[in-house]
Amino acid sequence: MNDYYKKFEKPIVFAVKHKNLITRLNSRSGGIFTAISDYVLDDGGVVYGCILDEKFNAVHIRADNKLERDKMMGSKYIQSNIGDTLKKVRLDLDAGKKVLFTGTSCQVAGLLKFIGESNQNLLCVDIVCHGVPSSKVLHKYIRWQEKKVGSPCVGIDFRNKKDYGWSSHIETLVFANGTKISSEVFKNLFYGHQCLRPACYKCPFKNIVHPGDITIADYWGIDKAAPGFNDNKGVSLVLINNKFGNEIFEKLKNIEYKKCRIEDSMQPPLEAPFPEPKNRSKFWTDFERKSFNYLAARYGGNSFLSRTKHTIKKIFVKFLK
Ligand SMILES: Cc1cc2nc3c(=O)[nH]c(=O)nc-3n(C[C@H](O)[C@H](O)[C@H](O)COP(=O)(O)OP(=O)(O)OC[C@H]3O[C@@H](n4cnc5c(N)ncnc54)[C@H](O)[C@@H]3O)c2cc1C
Ligand code: SF4
C-alpha cells in the first residue's frame, strides 16, 4: 500500500472544538464532521453521510451543498441503510470528483473493499462506534410515545445537548401538537445492548486501528487529556490514522484544537466489543410478544423508581443552568 495511506502504528490524537458555537450545538460532539465536510465541499467535492428520513429511518445520502450536508449532523443511534451509496461513490470517483465518505467503521471498511484500492480523491472518516440498535426498536418506541401524547412525532434529537449539556444523554421527541418529551428509555435500551445488531458483538474495529483516514468520536476523558478545554458544549476526539488524514487535518478551518496522548483518550469502544447479553433472545421474544410498556419497564429503565429518579435529575439539571 502507498505510504501515504498506510496506517500509523498509533494515531495522532487531537481534541477539537468548532469555533462556531451554533455548529457545535447542532453536532454530537465538537463539530469536527462539519469542519472536514466544509473543507471538501469548498473544494468542489461531495459528502456522503447519514440522515434521519421522515419515517425515522437512518439512511446514507449524497450532499453537494451545505444545506443537504447539515441534515447529516448529529448522531442517529440506529443502523443506517447504505442502499446504493457504494456504487454512487464509485461513479463520483470515476468522474474525478473529490469524495468524503462518513459512517461507522464497518461501513468505511465495506466501501474500501468495494473500491478496491486507496484513491487520492476519497477521504474516509469513520466514527468510534458503540454499536447500532435495530431501527425496529426505535419505531416501536416512537409509536409508544405517540400514543401517550396523542399526536404524531415529527422529530427526535437522540442526545439533547442544547437543553441538558454534552455529558448527559437524554433523548427529546417533538410532536406535531407542539409537545416535547425528554426521556432516557431509548438510551437505556441502547446501552442494555440487547437490541444491537449481531455483528456488533464481534466488531473487529474495537481498537485504535481504524479503517478511516480520520476517526472521530466524543472526547470522553477530555478533562484528563486536555484540562480546561471542556465547556460541556462538546469536544471531538480526532484520531489521525495516516499521512493523508494528517494533510487534510492541517487544512481545516474554524477549529480550535489541542494535541493529546492516545493513552489519555481511551474509552471502552476503543478496547473491545461489548459482549452479547445473555438475555438477548429473551429481549427479542418479549419485543415481538409484549407491549412497549413492558419493554420500557423491563429493559428501558422506565419502572416507577427510575421515573422518579429521572424527574429529580431533570429538576436538578434545570436548577444548575
Ligand atoms: C451509532 C453511533 C454510535 C456511536 N458510538 C460512539 C461511542 O461509543 N463513543 C464515541 O465517542 N462516539 C460515538 N459515536 C460518535 C459520536 O456520537 C459522533 O458521531 C462523533 O463524535 C462526531 O461528532 P461531530 O460533532 O463531529 O459531528 P456530527 O455532526 O454529530 O456528526 C455526524 C456524523 O455522524 C454520522 N452518523 C450519524 N449517525 C450515523 C449512523 N447511524 N450511522 C453512520 N453514521 C452516522 C454522519 O454521517 C456524520 O458523519 C457514535 C455515533 C453513532 C452514530
Ligand atoms: S459496532 Fe462495529 S459492526 Fe457494529 S455498526 Fe459499529 S462498526 Fe459496525
Side-chain angles (χ1 to χ4, degrees):
M1 183 192 283
N2 183 332
D3 205 33
Y4 196 54
Y5 301 102
K6 202 172 150 211
K7 295 286 150 59
F8 298 143
E9 230 165 81
K10 264 188 189 183
I12 304 170
V13 182
F14 292 102
V16 177
K17 289 190 288 203
H18 200 283
K19 285 185 180 166
N20 184 316
L21 186 58
I22 307 288
T23 298
R24 204 144 55 95
L25 289 176
N26 287 330
S27 307
R28 171 53 221 138
S29 57
I32 183 65
F33 163 69
T34 301
I36 299 173
S37 49
D38 271 352
Y39 166 75
V40 172
L41 290 170
D42 291 344
D43 203 26
V46 295
V47 178
Y48 286 86
C50 168
I51 65 148
L52 200 64
D53 72 11
E54 64 288 349
K55 290 188 174 146
F56 301 103
N57 292 307
V59 288
H60 260 63
I61 65 157
R62 174 186 189 273
D64 60 7
N65 63 73
K66 292 184 186 175
L67 216 62
E68 279 295 293
R69 180 283 313 273
D70 285 354
K71 296 180 191 163
M72 299 170 187
M73 292 166 80
S75 291
K76 298 92 193 170
Y77 293 126
I78 48 170
Q79 184 174 23
S80 171
N81 183 353
I82 207 95
D84 59 354
T85 298
L86 305 189
K87 283 186 193 152
K88 284 186 184 157
V89 170
R90 180 176 272 165
L91 286 176
D92 276 327
L93 292 173
D94 288 348
K97 282 225 169 270
K98 292 197 171 155
V99 174
L100 165 64
F101 179 86
T102 63
T104 57
S105 307
C106 57
Q107 288 172 335
V108 167
L111 173 69
L112 290 172
K113 203 168 170 199
F114 180 77
I115 298 296
E117 56 180 18
S118 301
N119 184 309
Q120 59 174 14
N121 281 343
L122 175 62
L123 173 65
C124 287
V125 173
D126 63 334
I127 55 179
V128 171
C129 178
H130 193 99
V132 284
S134 157
S135 56
K136 272 162 81 174
V137 178
L138 177 71
H139 295 158
K140 198 162 174 171
Y141 168 62
I142 290 175
R143 284 200 303 275
W144 177 66
Q145 294 282 25
E146 286 178 332
K147 215 169 157 191
K148 288 204 286 178
V149 173
S151 175
C153 179
V154 290
I156 175 163
D157 183 344
F158 285 85
R159 200 160 177 163
N160 182 345
K161 180 161 105 169
K162 290 188 196 110
D163 293 327
Y164 300 102
W166 173 49
S167 56
S168 64
H169 188 155
I170 295 174
E171 67 254 4
T172 296
L173 282 75
V174 182
F175 298 84
N177 66 3
T179 306
K180 258 182 163 188
I181 286 196
S182 290
S183 153
E184 291 177 87
V185 171
F186 187 72
K187 183 272 298 269
N188 291 334
L189 292 171
F190 180 22
Y191 288 150
H193 298 158
Q194 294 92 348
C195 62
L196 299 185
R197 307 311 294 143
C200 301
Y201 306 119
K202 295 195 176 86
C203 177
F205 308 106
K206 293 282 193 290
N207 50 55
I208 58 166
V209 183
H210 278 249
D213 303 296
I214 299 176
T215 303
I216 61 178
D218 279 299
Y219 209 136
W220 305 131
I222 182 65
D223 293 326
K224 182 178 172 205
F229 201 66
N230 180 14
D231 56 5
N232 202 21
K233 292 186 172 64
V235 180
S236 294
L237 168 67
V238 179
L239 307 180
I240 306 292
N241 299 324
N242 56 20
K243 286 185 184 165
F244 181 40
N246 200 36
E247 188 183 291
I248 299 290
F249 186 77
E250 283 172 357
K251 290 177 181 161
L252 299 183
K253 292 185 185 143
N254 297 320
I255 56 167
E256 197 185 327
Y257 60 89
K258 273 197 174 170
K259 197 165 179 195
C260 299
R261 289 170 4 118
I262 188 69
E263 293 76 9
D264 296 330
S265 314
M266 296 305 286
Q267 53 167 291
L270 288 173
E271 287 169 358
F274 297 104
E276 179 175 337
K278 289 202 171 68
N279 62 352
R280 185 177 192 272
S281 63
K282 170 90 174 75
F283 168 84
W284 281 107
T285 309
D286 288 344
F287 182 83
E288 297 302 340
R289 295 190 185 155
K290 307 238 169 158
S291 70
F292 200 89
N293 255 338
Y294 176 87
L295 295 173
R298 175 80 180 76
Y299 302 97
N302 195 46
S303 58
F304 177 72
L305 186 66
S306 338
R307 281 203 306 275
T308 313
K309 273 198 210 154
H310 173 67
T311 310
I312 295 169
K313 192 170 157 191
K314 255 171 82 178
I315 294 167
F316 192 62
V317 170
K318 287 250 147 90
F319 179 73
L320 284 180
K321 275 175 96 186

